[in-house]
Amino acid sequence: MHKSALIDWEKIRADFPILDQQVRDQPLIYFDNAATTQKPRAVIETLRNYYEHDNANVHRGLHELSSRATEAYERSRQRVAEFIGAESEEEIVFTRGTTESINLVAQAWGGKFLRPGNVVLLTEMEHHSNLVPWQLIAEKTGAELRFVPVRDDGTLALEKLSSLLTKEVKMFAFTHISNSLGTINPVTELCARARAIGALTLVDLAQSIGHIPVNVRELGCDLAAFSGHKMAGPTGIGVLYGRREILEAIPPWQGGGEMITSVTLQKTTFKRSPHRFEAGTPDIAGAIGLAAAIDYLERIGRADIFQHDSRLTSYAMERLTEIPSLRLLGPPAPRGALVGFVMAAAHPHDLTTFADQRGLALRGGHHCNQPLMRRFGLPGTTRASFYFYNTLEEIDRMVEILRDAVHFFA
Ligand code: PMP
């Protein structure tokens, strides 16, 4: 028996006050965790405590509260660095989230280094946030975008990689876990292949960081992006990780306070990274809340979280195959903690509304994966995504609701 089976998951669930409520006279079932996760009391209280006792602006003040806020903010940077296995806190840039982190790299790195004829390699399964920023900078610089295709089973067509990863490729940016298919990509292998031809790598960790152990040095990536709100932390805070020499080579992307060493009317010199990338007042409370989320997750352990998530996901996949006319997408386990499916008779939006009327929060639509949906010839899917506070009983109830939907929409 795996150790995760010995953990009292019910007790852990009680740390999340929001889950204890009725929606439309039914107990809430929250299966929209790939969009955002819920927050434990430890994170909520950390935010409240910060605002009640320590709130001040960082770095600029010489008074007690400012020192406390600055120390807590910078301690959070260290905590993030430890959490992802970075070499130092100087490799951690606080941003608003995955989307902003990728935009920073596309605009600032791409704006300096991309030339006509250069290639940015992506995959067909990227979230729009790892596609649109590259389209914008490709248009500006004359660089070209290429894509690793997705096979019918939802995995990447790795046999195509050799012909795609040519010397024109300067950046290979791809997701760790697909937010629609649940596919876990072989990040270590992909980073090694890119490094062998001198391309940089950026990994979108949005769906993996809170769910499985992630160590950026073991993955061998140059850059990585994630959001606090998908790992039990607050919204509005996220991270860009970059190896030190990579970040040092990237020019500032936004100008303002905090990021300068000296300013004249005509010219400014900039701080080193990471502060060079954090213009203006940052999300101080968010960073401190993120560190509290990291403490919380590490008390449970991400290996155990993955075991528990996997049990929920495998069970859901098994039970969903019992429903006639329902088709599951994506590869078999091991996979991310989500299942995407289509029901022949019901549009994903109608099915999601049907579920909501019974207290079940699913997500229906293209999931910011329009090209991927087009690849599978679908307008969208319905997605159930899990986290460690979800239960097998909730999955049973979902299956019951979906069975009712089959009759309702027939
Ligand atoms: N990448 C992936 C794989 C995602 O699932 C998401 C969020 N759905 C994002 C990027 C964007 O994250 P955020 O909206 O927090 O910037």
Side-chain angles (χ1 to χ4, degrees), residues 34-35 96-100 102 127 129-130 175 177-179 204 206-207 227 229-230 367 383:
R96 279 196 303 124
T98 311
T99 304
E100 190 173 75
I102 297 173
H127 188 278
S129 64
N130 195 30
T175 193
I177 297 184
S178 160
N179 62 303
D204 174 348
Q207 293 297 343
S227 304
H229 70 95
K230 291 186 200 281
H367 313 292
R383 181 182 73 189

Side-chain angles (χ1 to χ4, degrees), residues 14 16 25 29 76 79 92 105 110 113 145 172 175 198 212 219 238-239 269 354 358 364 384 394 400 402 409:
F16 292 78
D25 298 326
I29 300 178
S76 303
R79 193 72 188 91
I92 306 300
V105 176
F113 292 107
L145 305 183
F172 184 16
T175 193
I212 58 178
L219 295 177
V239 169
T269 52
F354 182 89
R358 288 147 187 84
E394 288 179 316
E400 218 175 283
L402 293 173
F409 290 105

Side-chain angles (χ1 to χ4, degrees), residues 74-94:
E74 292 302 328
R75 232 185 357 256
S76 303
R77 199 190 300 280
Q78 275 167 12
R79 193 72 188 91
V80 171
E82 284 162 20
F83 181 63
I84 65 169
E87 224 161 74
S88 92
E89 66 277 10
E90 289 171 22
E91 299 181 320
I92 306 300
V93 180
F94 283 123

Side-chain angles (χ1 to χ4, degrees), residues 118-328:
N118 289 168
V119 172
V120 175
L121 182 61
L122 306 169
T123 84
E124 267 182 353
M125 66 168 74
E126 296 315 308
H127 188 278
H128 294 167
S129 64
N130 195 30
L131 170 59
V132 183
W134 297 111
Q135 291 176 347
L136 293 172
I137 197 66
E139 200 164 307
K140 253 194 210 155
T141 58
E144 188 195 312
L145 305 183
R146 259 184 216 163
F147 300 90
V148 182
V150 171
R151 299 183 188 124
D152 289 344
D153 70 355
T155 56
L156 289 177
L158 295 177
E159 68 282 4
K160 301 259 167 59
L161 206 56
S162 303
S163 61
L164 292 166
L165 256 182
T166 57
K167 63 177 186 339
E168 291 78 22
V169 176
K170 300 296 167 206
M171 173 70 77
F172 184 16
F174 56 91
T175 193
H176 191 173
I177 297 184
S178 160
N179 62 303
S180 285
L181 303 168
T183 317
I184 303 180
N185 288 321
V187 176
T188 311
E189 180 192 341
L190 296 180
C191 290
R193 297 279 297 269
R195 197 175 330 112
I197 58 121
L200 296 184
T201 47
L202 184 160
V203 186
D204 174 348
L205 300 173
Q207 293 297 343
S208 59
I209 188 75
H211 292 266
I212 58 178
V214 170
N215 180 303
V216 286
R217 273 187 288 172
E218 281 168 17
L219 295 177
C221 58
D222 295 301
L223 297 145
F226 60 91
S227 304
H229 70 95
K230 291 186 200 281
M231 49 173 284
T235 50
I237 188 78
V239 169
L240 171 66
Y241 157 78
R243 285 199 299 113
R244 191 199 306 238
E245 63 266 36
I246 311 269
L247 288 184
E248 283 300 339
I250 302 179
W253 80 309
Q254 288 177 346
E258 304 270 2
M259 46 87 76
I260 55 92
T261 50
S262 95
V263 181
T264 67
L265 286 177
Q266 299 296 338
K267 186 128 186 76
T268 293
T269 52
F270 304 107
K271 283 186 182 158
R272 298 181 52 181
S273 65
H275 295 102
R276 175 198 306 175
F277 301 110
E278 295 178 6
T281 301
D283 184 354
I284 306 160
I288 295 167
L290 175 60
I294 290 173
D295 289 343
Y296 182 84
L297 292 183
E298 290 213 318
R299 275 198 295 276
I300 305 173
R302 277 180 294 173
D304 290 325
I305 289 174
F306 182 59
Q307 286 298 324
H308 184 68
D309 277 5
S310 296
R311 199 156 46 234
L312 293 172
T313 309
S314 298
Y315 183 68
M317 289 174 75
E318 194 185 300
R319 296 265 3 240
L320 287 170
T321 53
E322 293 168 13
I323 300 178
S325 84
L326 190 145
R327 179 159 76 87
L328 291 175

